[in-house]
Amino acid sequence: MLIRKRLRVPIRINGKLHKRRKGVPQGSPLSPLLSNILLDKLDKYLKSKGLKFVRYADDFSIYTQSKAAAQKVGNEVYLFLNNKLDLPINREKSGTRSPSDFELLCHGFVPTYKKGEKDKYQMIVKKQGWENLKRKLKGITKKTLPYSFEERLQKLREVWMGWINYY
């Protein structure tokens, strides 16, 4: 009942309130929660197929060895989401990509360029991730903030550990 009320909050367009017929309010904490509940079935389906994947809320990436395998898996996942979970798929946002053209949660992929390794990639933190860390560190280390040395160290540890665990 509470979730339904939250999902039915009206939308303000040009100063007027309009009934919400579908979807989740933008930026709502319900969106990732509901995505995780609903897409748990997708996780189990992908694991049963032995696929390597990453999913965060409603964003996910599935890793295959070839374009042909990616096409096949992409079609299977599309049918699973559409037929089994009754979820509409945005075909413009979905598709196959090279690892170097893909980004997820401020991470990207670059080729390793090691001798004898072909088509191998390593994960990197994208510029936005580093900028977020620097912004947080600057906020904590401002000389004008009345923190003791120990408080400042504790806050730095919290930010660093949060960043390490997130990235």
Side-chain angles (χ1 to χ4, degrees):
M1 174 96 162
L2 185 61
I3 292 175
R4 181 176 307 233
K5 282 185 176 185
R6 178 72 176 133
L7 292 175
R8 297 292 176 234
V9 171
I11 304 170
R12 184 183 304 270
I13 302 174
N14 296 328
K16 293 183 180 178
L17 293 178
H18 298 273
K19 283 186 177 179
R20 181 183 303 275
R21 303 242 183 262
K22 63 181 181 178
V24 179
Q26 186 71 26
S28 168
L30 276 179
S31 182
L33 175 66
L34 294 175
S35 294
N36 283 334
I37 291 169
L38 188 61
L39 293 177
D40 182 62
K41 292 179 182 174
L42 174 66
D43 294 346
K44 290 175 181 169
Y45 173 76
L46 296 174
K47 285 179 185 174
S48 74
K49 296 274 186 184
L51 295 167
K52 294 180 182 179
F53 66 97
V54 174
R55 186 179 65 77
Y56 182 80
D58 63 346
D59 289 335
F60 62 90
S61 177
I62 304 167
Y63 303 97
T64 61
Q65 293 291 321
S66 67
K67 283 186 180 183
Q71 291 285 334
K72 181 181 179 224
V73 169
N75 289 333
E76 289 175 8
V77 169
Y78 174 83
L79 291 172
F80 179 82
L81 292 172
N82 199 32
N83 299 340
K84 300 283 187 198
L85 299 182
D86 198 28
L87 290 173
I89 308 303
N90 183 342
R91 284 291 203 176
E92 290 179 14
K93 289 174 70 176
S94 305
T96 58
R97 292 174 188 81
S98 165
S100 58
D101 297 333
F102 183 73
E103 187 176 323
L104 180 69
L105 299 174
C106 295
H107 283 85
F109 299 90
V110 295
T112 58
Y113 295 117
K114 288 184 181 176
K115 188 175 182 176
E117 285 187 350
K118 186 178 179 200
D119 296 328
K120 297 263 182 171
Y121 293 84
Q122 64 184 13
M123 187 168 63
I124 60 165
V125 176
K126 298 294 264 188
K127 185 177 180 180
Q128 181 186 357
W130 285 113
E131 296 300 325
N132 289 343
L133 176 64
K134 287 195 298 188
R135 185 176 24 79
K136 287 178 183 178
L137 292 176
K138 273 187 177 183
I140 292 170
T141 57
K142 275 187 178 177
K143 293 176 185 177
T144 56
L145 293 176
Y147 294 138
S148 70
F149 182 73
E150 289 77 22
E151 288 174 313
R152 212 174 287 269
L153 278 178
Q154 181 59 35
K155 288 186 179 295
L156 286 170
R157 277 189 204 103
E158 289 170 8
V159 166
W160 180 250
M161 292 310 292
W163 192 79
I164 293 288
N165 292 331
Y166 181 78
Y167 293 103

